[in-house]
Coordinates of all heavy atoms in Angstrom, one line a residue:
M1 N -2.0 -21.9 -25.9 CA -2.7 -20.6 -25.6 C -2.6 -20.3 -24.1 O -2.3 -19.2 -23.7 CB -4.1 -20.8 -26.1 CG -4.9 -19.5 -25.8 SD -6.4 -19.6 -26.9 CE -7.5 -18.9 -25.8
F2 N -2.8 -21.4 -23.3 CA -2.7 -21.1 -21.8 C -1.4 -21.8 -21.3 O -1.5 -22.7 -20.5 CB -3.9 -21.8 -21.1 CG -5.1 -21.1 -21.4 CD1 -6.2 -21.7 -22.1 CD2 -5.4 -19.9 -20.9 CE1 -7.4 -21.0 -22.3 CE2 -6.6 -19.2 -21.1 CZ -7.5 -19.7 -21.8
S3 N -0.3 -21.2 -21.7 CA 1.0 -21.7 -21.2 C 1.2 -20.9 -19.7 O 0.7 -19.9 -19.5 CB 2.1 -21.4 -22.0 OG 2.4 -20.0 -22.0
P4 N 1.9 -21.6 -18.9 CA 2.2 -21.0 -17.6 C 2.8 -19.6 -17.7 O 2.6 -18.8 -16.9 CB 3.1 -22.0 -16.9 CG 3.0 -23.3 -17.7 CD 2.5 -22.9 -19.0
Y5 N 3.7 -19.4 -18.7 CA 4.3 -18.1 -18.9 C 3.3 -17.0 -19.2 O 3.4 -15.9 -18.8 CB 5.4 -18.2 -19.9 CG 6.6 -19.1 -19.5 CD1 6.7 -20.3 -20.2 CD2 7.3 -18.9 -18.4 CE1 7.7 -21.2 -19.8 CE2 8.3 -19.7 -18.0 CZ 8.5 -20.9 -18.8 OH 9.5 -21.8 -18.3
N6 N 2.3 -17.3 -20.1 CA 1.3 -16.4 -20.4 C 0.4 -16.1 -19.2 O 0.0 -14.9 -19.0 CB 0.4 -16.9 -21.5 CG 1.2 -16.9 -22.9 OD1 2.4 -16.6 -23.0 ND2 0.5 -17.3 -23.9
I7 N 0.1 -17.0 -18.4 CA -0.7 -16.8 -17.3 C 0.0 -16.0 -16.2 O -0.5 -15.0 -15.7 CB -1.2 -18.2 -16.7 CG1 -2.1 -18.9 -17.6 CG2 -1.9 -17.9 -15.3 CD1 -2.5 -20.3 -17.2
L8 N 1.4 -16.3 -16.0 CA 2.1 -15.5 -15.1 C 2.2 -14.0 -15.6 O 2.2 -13.1 -14.9 CB 3.5 -16.2 -15.0 CG 4.5 -15.4 -14.1 CD1 4.0 -15.4 -12.6 CD2 5.9 -16.0 -14.2
A9 N 2.5 -13.9 -16.9 CA 2.6 -12.6 -17.4 C 1.3 -11.7 -17.3 O 1.3 -10.6 -16.9 CB 3.0 -12.6 -18.9
G10 N 0.1 -12.4 -17.6 CA -1.1 -11.7 -17.4 C -1.3 -11.3 -15.9 O -1.8 -10.2 -15.7
F11 N -0.9 -12.2 -15.0 CA -1.1 -11.8 -13.6 C -0.2 -10.7 -13.2 O -0.7 -9.8 -12.5 CB -0.8 -13.0 -12.7 CG -0.9 -12.8 -11.3 CD1 -2.2 -12.6 -10.7 CD2 0.2 -12.7 -10.5 CE1 -2.3 -12.3 -9.3 CE2 0.1 -12.5 -9.1 CZ -1.1 -12.3 -8.5
I12 N 1.0 -10.7 -13.6 CA 2.0 -9.7 -13.2 C 1.7 -8.4 -13.7 O 1.5 -7.4 -13.0 CB 3.4 -10.1 -13.6 CG1 3.9 -11.3 -12.7 CG2 4.4 -8.9 -13.4 CD1 5.2 -11.9 -13.2
F13 N 1.4 -8.3 -15.1 CA 1.1 -7.1 -15.7 C -0.3 -6.6 -15.4 O -0.5 -5.3 -15.2 CB 1.3 -7.2 -17.2 CG 2.7 -7.5 -17.6 CD1 3.0 -8.5 -18.5 CD2 3.8 -6.7 -17.1 CE1 4.3 -8.8 -18.8 CE2 5.0 -7.0 -17.5 CZ 5.3 -8.0 -18.4
G14 N -1.2 -7.4 -15.2 CA -2.5 -7.0 -14.7 C -2.5 -6.4 -13.3 O -3.2 -5.4 -13.1
T15 N -1.8 -7.0 -12.4 CA -1.7 -6.4 -11.1 C -1.0 -5.1 -11.0 O -1.4 -4.2 -10.4 CB -0.8 -7.5 -10.2 OG1 -1.6 -8.7 -10.1 CG2 -0.8 -7.0 -8.7
I16 N 0.1 -4.9 -11.8 CA 0.8 -3.6 -11.9 C -0.1 -2.7 -12.6 O -0.2 -1.4 -12.2 CB 2.2 -3.8 -12.6 CG1 3.1 -4.6 -11.8 CG2 2.8 -2.4 -12.8 CD1 4.4 -5.0 -12.4
G17 N -0.8 -3.0 -13.6 CA -1.7 -2.2 -14.2 C -2.9 -1.7 -13.4 O -3.3 -0.6 -13.5
W18 N -3.4 -2.6 -12.5 CA -4.4 -2.1 -11.6 C -3.9 -1.1 -10.6 O -4.6 -0.2 -10.4 CB -4.9 -3.4 -10.9 CG -6.0 -3.1 -9.9 CD1 -7.3 -2.8 -10.1 CD2 -5.8 -3.1 -8.4 NE1 -8.0 -2.6 -9.0 CE2 -7.1 -2.8 -7.9 CE3 -4.8 -3.3 -7.6 CZ2 -7.3 -2.7 -6.6 CZ3 -5.0 -3.2 -6.3 CH2 -6.3 -2.9 -5.7
G19 N -2.7 -1.4 -10.1 CA -2.1 -0.3 -9.3 C -1.8 0.9 -9.9 O -2.1 2.1 -9.3
S20 N -1.4 0.9 -11.1 CA -1.2 2.2 -11.9 C -2.5 2.9 -12.1 O -2.6 4.1 -12.1 CB -0.5 1.9 -13.2 OG -0.4 3.0 -14.0
W21 N -3.5 2.2 -12.5 CA -4.9 2.7 -12.7 C -5.4 3.4 -11.5 O -5.9 4.5 -11.5 CB -5.8 1.6 -13.2 CG -7.2 2.1 -13.4 CD1 -7.6 2.8 -14.5 CD2 -8.3 1.9 -12.6 NE1 -9.0 3.0 -14.4 CE2 -9.4 2.5 -13.2 CE3 -8.5 1.2 -11.3 CZ2 -10.7 2.5 -12.7 CZ3 -9.7 1.3 -10.8 CH2 -10.9 1.9 -11.5
R22 N -5.3 2.7 -10.3 CA -5.7 3.3 -9.0 C -4.9 4.6 -8.7 O -5.5 5.6 -8.2 CB -5.6 2.3 -7.9 CG -6.7 1.3 -8.0 CD -6.9 0.6 -6.7 NE -6.9 1.5 -5.7 CZ -7.5 1.3 -4.5 NH1 -8.2 0.2 -4.4 NH2 -7.4 2.1 -3.6
Y23 N -3.6 4.5 -8.9 CA -2.8 5.7 -8.6 C -3.1 6.8 -9.5 O -3.3 8.0 -9.0 CB -1.3 5.3 -8.8 CG -0.4 6.4 -8.8 CD1 0.1 7.0 -7.6 CD2 0.2 6.9 -10.0 CE1 0.9 8.1 -7.6 CE2 1.1 8.0 -10.0 CZ 1.4 8.6 -8.8 OH 2.4 9.6 -8.8
G24 N -3.3 6.6 -10.7 CA -3.7 7.6 -11.6 C -5.0 8.3 -11.4 O -5.2 9.5 -11.5
R25 N -6.0 7.4 -11.0 CA -7.3 8.0 -10.6 C -7.3 8.7 -9.4 O -8.0 9.8 -9.3 CB -8.3 6.8 -10.5 CG -8.7 6.3 -11.9 CD -10.0 5.5 -11.8 NE -10.9 6.1 -10.9 CZ -12.2 6.1 -11.0 NH1 -12.7 5.4 -12.1 NH2 -13.1 6.5 -10.1
S26 N -6.6 8.4 -8.4 CA -6.5 9.1 -7.1 C -5.8 10.5 -7.3 O -6.2 11.4 -6.6 CB -5.8 8.3 -6.0 OG -4.4 8.2 -6.3
L27 N -4.8 10.6 -8.2 CA -4.2 11.8 -8.4 C -4.8 12.6 -9.6 O -4.3 13.7 -10.0 CB -2.7 11.7 -8.7 CG -1.9 11.1 -7.4 CD1 -0.4 11.0 -7.8 CD2 -2.1 12.0 -6.3
E28 N -5.8 12.0 -10.3 CA -6.4 12.6 -11.5 C -5.4 12.9 -12.6 O -5.4 13.9 -13.2 CB -7.3 13.8 -11.1 CG -8.3 13.5 -10.2 CD -9.2 14.8 -9.8 OE1 -8.7 15.8 -10.2 OE2 -10.1 14.6 -9.1
R29 N -4.5 11.9 -12.9 CA -3.6 12.0 -14.0 C -4.0 10.9 -15.0 O -4.2 9.8 -14.7 CB -2.2 11.7 -13.5 CG -1.6 12.8 -12.6 CD -0.2 12.6 -12.3 NE 0.3 13.7 -11.5 CZ 1.3 13.8 -10.9 NH1 2.2 12.7 -11.1 NH2 1.7 14.8 -10.2
W30 N -4.0 11.3 -16.3 CA -4.5 10.5 -17.4 C -3.4 9.5 -17.8 O -3.8 8.3 -18.3 CB -5.1 11.2 -18.5 CG -4.1 12.0 -19.3 CD1 -3.7 13.3 -19.0 CD2 -3.3 11.6 -20.4 NE1 -2.7 13.7 -19.9 CE2 -2.5 12.7 -20.8 CE3 -3.3 10.4 -21.1 CZ2 -1.6 12.6 -21.8 CZ3 -2.4 10.3 -22.2 CH2 -1.6 11.4 -22.6
K31 N -2.2 9.8 -17.7 CA -1.1 8.9 -18.2 C -1.1 7.6 -17.4 O -1.1 6.5 -18.1 CB 0.2 9.5 -18.3 CG 0.3 10.7 -19.3 CD 1.7 11.3 -19.2 CE 1.8 12.5 -20.2 NZ 3.1 13.1 -20.2
P32 N -1.0 7.6 -16.1 CA -1.0 6.3 -15.4 C -2.3 5.5 -15.6 O -2.3 4.3 -15.6 CB -0.8 6.7 -14.0 CG -0.3 8.1 -14.0 CD -0.8 8.7 -15.2
V33 N -3.4 6.3 -15.7 CA -4.7 5.6 -15.9 C -4.7 4.8 -17.3 O -5.0 3.7 -17.3 CB -5.8 6.6 -15.9 CG1 -7.1 6.0 -16.3 CG2 -6.0 7.1 -14.5
A34 N -4.2 5.5 -18.3 CA -4.2 4.9 -19.7 C -3.2 3.7 -19.7 O -3.5 2.7 -20.3 CB -3.9 6.0 -20.7
I35 N -2.0 3.9 -19.2 CA -1.0 2.8 -19.2 C -1.6 1.7 -18.3 O -1.4 0.5 -18.7 CB 0.4 3.3 -18.7 CG1 0.9 4.4 -19.7 CG2 1.3 2.1 -18.5 CD1 2.2 5.1 -19.2
G36 N -2.2 1.9 -17.2 CA -2.7 0.9 -16.3 C -3.8 0.1 -17.1 O -3.8 -1.1 -17.0
L37 N -4.7 0.8 -17.8 CA -5.7 0.1 -18.6 C -5.1 -0.8 -19.6 O -5.5 -1.9 -19.9 CB -6.7 1.1 -19.1 CG -7.7 1.7 -18.2 CD1 -8.5 2.8 -18.9 CD2 -8.6 0.6 -17.7
A38 N -4.0 -0.3 -20.3 CA -3.4 -1.0 -21.3 C -2.7 -2.3 -20.7 O -2.8 -3.3 -21.3 CB -2.3 -0.2 -22.1
L39 N -2.1 -2.1 -19.6 CA -1.5 -3.3 -19.0 C -2.5 -4.3 -18.5 O -2.2 -5.5 -18.5 CB -0.7 -2.8 -17.7 CG 0.8 -2.2 -18.0 CD1 1.3 -1.6 -16.7 CD2 1.7 -3.3 -18.5
M40 N -3.6 -3.9 -18.2 CA -4.7 -4.8 -17.7 C -5.4 -5.6 -18.8 O -5.8 -6.7 -18.8 CB -5.7 -4.2 -16.8 CG -5.2 -3.8 -15.5 SD -6.6 -3.2 -14.4 CE -7.0 -1.6 -15.1
I41 N -5.5 -4.9 -20.0 CA -6.3 -5.4 -21.1 C -5.5 -6.1 -22.2 O -5.9 -7.2 -22.7 CB -7.0 -4.3 -21.8 CG1 -8.1 -3.6 -20.8 CG2 -7.7 -4.6 -23.1 CD1 -8.7 -2.3 -21.3
Y42 N -4.3 -5.7 -22.5 CA -3.6 -6.3 -23.6 C -3.3 -7.8 -23.5 O -3.2 -8.5 -24.5 CB -2.3 -5.6 -23.9 CG -1.0 -6.1 -23.2 CD1 -0.2 -7.0 -23.8 CD2 -0.7 -5.6 -22.0 CE1 0.9 -7.5 -23.2 CE2 0.4 -6.1 -21.4 CZ 1.2 -7.0 -21.9 OH 2.3 -7.5 -21.3
P43 N -3.1 -8.4 -22.2 CA -2.8 -9.9 -22.2 C -3.9 -10.7 -22.7 O -3.7 -11.9 -23.0 CB -2.6 -10.1 -20.7 CG -2.0 -8.9 -20.2 CD -2.9 -7.8 -20.9
Y44 N -5.1 -10.2 -22.8 CA -6.2 -11.0 -23.3 C -6.2 -11.2 -24.8 O -6.8 -12.0 -25.4 CB -7.7 -10.3 -23.0 CG -7.9 -10.3 -21.5 CD1 -7.8 -9.3 -20.7 CD2 -8.3 -11.5 -21.0 CE1 -8.1 -9.3 -19.4 CE2 -8.6 -11.6 -19.6 CZ -8.5 -10.5 -18.8 OH -8.9 -10.5 -17.4
F45 N -5.4 -10.3 -25.5 CA -5.4 -10.3 -27.0 C -4.1 -10.8 -27.6 O -4.0 -11.1 -28.8 CB -5.7 -8.9 -27.5 CG -7.0 -8.4 -27.1 CD1 -7.1 -7.4 -26.1 CD2 -8.1 -8.9 -27.5 CE1 -8.3 -6.9 -25.7 CE2 -9.4 -8.5 -27.2 CZ -9.5 -7.5 -26.2
I46 N -3.0 -11.0 -26.8 CA -1.7 -11.4 -27.3 C -1.4 -12.9 -26.8 O -1.5 -13.1 -25.5 CB -0.6 -10.4 -26.8 CG1 -0.9 -9.0 -27.1 CG2 0.8 -10.9 -27.4 CD1 -0.9 -8.7 -28.6
F47 N -1.2 -13.8 -27.7 CA -1.0 -15.1 -27.3 C 0.5 -15.6 -27.5 O 0.9 -16.6 -26.9 CB -1.9 -16.1 -28.1 CG -3.3 -15.7 -27.9 CD1 -4.0 -15.2 -28.9 CD2 -3.9 -15.9 -26.6 CE1 -5.3 -14.9 -28.7 CE2 -5.3 -15.6 -26.4 CZ -6.0 -15.1 -27.5
N48 N 1.3 -14.9 -28.2 CA 2.8 -15.2 -28.3 C 3.5 -14.7 -27.1 O 3.4 -13.6 -26.7 CB 3.3 -14.5 -29.5 CG 4.7 -14.9 -29.8 OD1 5.4 -15.5 -29.0 ND2 5.2 -14.4 -31.0
S49 N 4.2 -15.7 -26.4 CA 4.9 -15.4 -25.2 C 5.9 -14.3 -25.2 O 5.9 -13.4 -24.4 CB 5.6 -16.6 -24.5 OG 4.6 -17.6 -24.2
W50 N 6.7 -14.3 -26.3 CA 7.7 -13.3 -26.4 C 7.1 -11.9 -26.6 O 7.5 -10.9 -26.0 CB 8.6 -13.5 -27.6 CG 9.6 -14.7 -27.3 CD1 9.4 -15.9 -27.7 CD2 10.8 -14.7 -26.5 NE1 10.5 -16.7 -27.2 CE2 11.3 -16.0 -26.5 CE3 11.4 -13.7 -25.8 CZ2 12.4 -16.3 -25.8 CZ3 12.6 -14.0 -25.1 CH2 13.0 -15.3 -25.1
L51 N 6.1 -11.8 -27.4 CA 5.4 -10.6 -27.6 C 4.6 -10.0 -26.4 O 4.7 -8.9 -26.1 CB 4.4 -10.7 -28.9 CG 3.8 -9.5 -29.4 CD1 4.9 -8.6 -29.9 CD2 2.8 -9.8 -30.5
L52 N 4.0 -11.0 -25.7 CA 3.4 -10.6 -24.5 C 4.3 -10.0 -23.5 O 4.1 -8.9 -22.9 CB 2.7 -11.9 -23.9 CG 1.9 -11.8 -22.6 CD1 0.6 -11.0 -23.0 CD2 1.6 -13.1 -22.1
W53 N 5.5 -10.7 -23.2 CA 6.4 -10.1 -22.3 C 7.1 -8.8 -22.8 O 7.4 -7.9 -22.0 CB 7.5 -11.2 -21.9 CG 7.0 -12.2 -21.0 CD1 6.4 -13.4 -21.4 CD2 6.9 -12.1 -19.6 NE1 6.1 -14.1 -20.3 CE2 6.4 -13.4 -19.2 CE3 7.3 -11.2 -18.7 CZ2 6.2 -13.6 -17.8 CZ3 7.1 -11.5 -17.3 CH2 6.5 -12.7 -16.9
G54 N 7.3 -8.8 -24.1 CA 8.0 -7.6 -24.6 C 7.0 -6.3 -24.6 O 7.5 -5.3 -24.2
I55 N 5.8 -6.5 -24.9 CA 4.9 -5.3 -24.8 C 4.7 -5.0 -23.3 O 4.7 -3.7 -23.0 CB 3.5 -5.8 -25.4 CG1 3.7 -5.9 -26.9 CG2 2.5 -4.6 -25.0 CD1 2.4 -6.4 -27.5
G56 N 4.6 -6.0 -22.4 CA 4.5 -5.6 -21.0 C 5.7 -4.9 -20.4 O 5.6 -3.9 -19.7
V57 N 6.9 -5.3 -20.8 CA 8.1 -4.6 -20.3 C 8.1 -3.2 -20.9 O 8.5 -2.2 -20.2 CB 9.4 -5.4 -20.6 CG1 10.6 -4.6 -20.4 CG2 9.4 -6.7 -19.8
G58 N 7.7 -3.1 -22.2 CA 7.7 -1.8 -22.8 C 6.7 -0.8 -22.2 O 7.1 0.4 -21.9
L59 N 5.6 -1.4 -21.8 CA 4.6 -0.5 -21.1 C 5.1 -0.1 -19.7 O 4.9 1.0 -19.2 CB 3.2 -1.2 -21.0 CG 2.5 -1.2 -22.3 CD1 1.3 -2.1 -22.1 CD2 2.0 0.2 -22.7
L60 N 5.8 -1.0 -19.0 CA 6.3 -0.8 -17.7 C 7.4 0.3 -17.8 O 7.5 1.2 -16.9 CB 6.9 -2.0 -17.0 CG 5.9 -3.0 -16.6 CD1 6.5 -4.2 -15.9 CD2 4.9 -2.4 -15.6
V61 N 8.3 0.3 -18.8 CA 9.3 1.3 -19.1 C 8.6 2.7 -19.3 O 9.0 3.7 -18.7 CB 10.2 0.9 -20.2 CG1 11.1 2.1 -20.6 CG2 11.1 -0.2 -19.8
L62 N 7.6 2.6 -20.1 CA 6.8 3.8 -20.4 C 6.2 4.4 -19.1 O 6.2 5.6 -18.9 CB 5.7 3.6 -21.4 CG 4.9 4.8 -21.8 CD1 5.7 5.8 -22.6 CD2 3.7 4.2 -22.7
L63 N 5.7 3.5 -18.3 CA 5.1 3.9 -17.0 C 6.2 4.5 -16.1 O 6.0 5.5 -15.4 CB 4.4 2.8 -16.3 CG 3.8 3.0 -14.9 CD1 2.6 4.0 -15.1 CD2 3.3 1.7 -14.3
W64 N 7.4 4.0 -16.1 CA 8.5 4.4 -15.2 C 8.9 5.8 -15.6 O 9.2 6.7 -14.8 CB 9.6 3.4 -15.3 CG 10.8 3.8 -14.5 CD1 11.9 4.4 -14.9 CD2 10.9 3.6 -13.1 NE1 12.7 4.7 -13.8 CE2 12.1 4.1 -12.7 CE3 10.2 2.9 -12.1 CZ2 12.6 4.0 -11.4 CZ3 10.7 2.8 -10.9 CH2 11.8 3.4 -10.5
F65 N 9.0 6.1 -16.9 CA 9.5 7.3 -17.4 C 8.5 8.4 -17.6 O 8.8 9.5 -17.9 CB 10.4 7.2 -18.7 CG 11.7 6.5 -18.4 CD1 12.0 5.2 -18.8 CD2 12.7 7.2 -17.7 CE1 13.2 4.6 -18.6 CE2 13.9 6.6 -17.4 CZ 14.1 5.3 -17.9
Q66 N 7.3 8.1 -17.4 CA 6.3 9.1 -17.6 C 6.1 9.9 -16.3 O 6.1 9.4 -15.2 CB 4.8 8.5 -18.0 CG 4.1 7.8 -16.9 CD 3.4 8.7 -15.9 OE1 2.9 9.7 -16.2 NE2 3.3 8.2 -14.7
H67 N 6.1 11.2 -16.4 CA 5.8 12.1 -15.3 C 5.5 13.5 -15.9 O 5.8 13.8 -17.0 CB 7.1 12.1 -14.4 CG 8.3 12.5 -15.1 ND1 8.7 13.7 -15.5 CD2 9.4 11.8 -15.5 CE1 9.9 13.8 -16.1 NE2 10.3 12.5 -16.1
D68 N 4.7 14.2 -15.1 CA 4.3 15.5 -15.5 C 5.3 16.5 -14.7 O 5.3 16.5 -13.5 CB 2.9 15.8 -15.0 CG 1.9 14.8 -15.8 OD1 2.2 14.6 -17.0 OD2 0.9 14.5 -15.3
V69 N 6.0 17.2 -15.6 CA 6.9 18.2 -15.0 C 6.2 19.5 -14.8 O 5.4 20.0 -15.5 CB 8.2 18.3 -15.9 CG1 9.1 19.4 -15.3 CG2 8.8 16.9 -16.1

């Protein structure tokens, strides 16, 4: 449950999620806020390392390609 890879993933994705959440709140955009919250919260509920990293990378790709035109 507490493997080094899970702790590392939680730290990395939580930190990026916190930055996304702050960025979204400062610009009053809901997409970065929602993705940031998801990045900060989901590592607490996923214990499989592959799934943890896969969801995290998927959310980061979603964060990268989201923008309001």
Side-chain angles (χ1 to χ4, degrees):
M1 184 161 141
F2 289 112
S3 74
Y5 297 113
N6 289 3
I7 294 172
L8 180 64
F11 178 74
I12 290 172
F13 296 130
T15 304
I16 295 171
W18 180 74
S20 172
W21 179 77
R22 286 199 43 155
Y23 170 76
R25 283 199 38 147
S26 68
L27 295 179
E28 297 178 357
R29 293 187 177 173
W30 66 272
K31 289 179 184 178
V33 169
I35 296 170
L37 283 174
L39 280 167
M40 288 188 289
I41 293 172
Y42 91 93
Y44 290 107
F45 301 107
I46 307 297
F47 300 112
N48 184 351
S49 294
W50 287 101
L51 191 57
L52 183 69
W53 285 93
I55 292 172
V57 169
L59 285 170
L60 289 179
V61 168
L62 183 65
L63 180 64
W64 180 264
F65 285 112
Q66 72 80 29
H67 52 78
D68 294 327
V69 178

